[in-house]
Structures are given as C-alpha cells and as structure tokens.
C-alpha cells in the first residue's frame, strides 16, 4: 500500500499537469476558442449592473454554488438558482 505522502505527491503532480495543460491552451494563438470565450465571459460579467444568476444540476450545480459564492465574496452580486426551481418561479 502506498504511503499517504506518495498519494499526496501523485495528486499534486496530476493537478500541476492539469494546470500546465490549461495554461498551454490559453497560449495557442489569437484564434484560440478557449481564450476568446474566457475573455468574452469575463468582459460580460464585469459589465453587469444587477446580479449574476448561476444555475446547474447535479455536480455542475455543486460547482455553480461555489462559483456563485466566490463571485459574491469578491463583490459581484450573485445567486445560485436550481434549474428545477427556476421554472417554478424562482428565476
């Protein structure tokens, strides 16, 4: 059985590889769809004068709640709305 230190090191190395891959995707040139879409999304969010509504179901819902909380904690008014509840008047 591997030691906890070895497991931690393996996890950290996988995360580093993931971040390196993501960074490389941003540097692939001016026609890079990821970089263009990221720029558009962040630009749109910075111009919003009301609240940002984040939605998602299942795992994406859990992530959406965290994104909404992060936005709110950094000064951007944000709320999470479950999509099933949105269709019943919460939106």
């Amino acid at each position: 059985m591997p030691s906890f230190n070895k497991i931690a090191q393996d996890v950290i190395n996988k995360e580093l590889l993931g971040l390196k891959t993501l960074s490389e995707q941003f540097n692939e040139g001016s026609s890079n769809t990821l970089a263009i879409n990221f720029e558009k999304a962040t630009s749109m969010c910075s111009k919003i004068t009301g609240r940002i509504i984040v939605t998602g179901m299942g795992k994406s819902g859990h992530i959406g709640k965290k994104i909404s909380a992060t936005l709110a904690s950094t000064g951007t008014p944000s709320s999470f709305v479950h999509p099933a509840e949105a269709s019943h008047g919460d939106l």
Side-chain angles (χ1 to χ4, degrees):
M1 176 174 188
S3 72
F4 289 117
N5 286 341
K6 174 68 172 131
I7 293 169
Q9 186 178 24
D10 289 345
V11 169
I12 291 168
N13 287 333
K14 286 178 185 175
E15 294 296 330
L16 285 169
L17 179 60
L19 289 171
K20 182 177 184 290
T21 301
L22 181 61
S23 176
E24 289 169 356
Q25 289 177 3
F26 273 94
N27 295 324
E28 289 182 355
S30 61
S31 64
N32 182 352
T33 306
L34 175 65
I36 292 168
N37 288 338
F38 182 80
E39 184 67 31
K40 284 181 184 178
T42 53
S43 177
M44 286 172 52
C45 287
S46 70
K47 294 175 185 171
I48 290 174
T49 57
R51 293 182 97 53
I52 294 178
I53 304 299
V54 182
T55 187
M57 187 178 285
K59 187 163 197 133
S60 64
H62 294 295
I63 294 167
K65 287 177 187 176
K66 290 179 181 258
I67 291 170
S68 179
T70 298
L71 289 169
S73 72
T74 58
T76 302
S78 175
S79 295
F80 175 82
V81 178
H82 191 280
E85 302 301 324
S87 64
H88 295 290
D90 284 357
L91 192 57

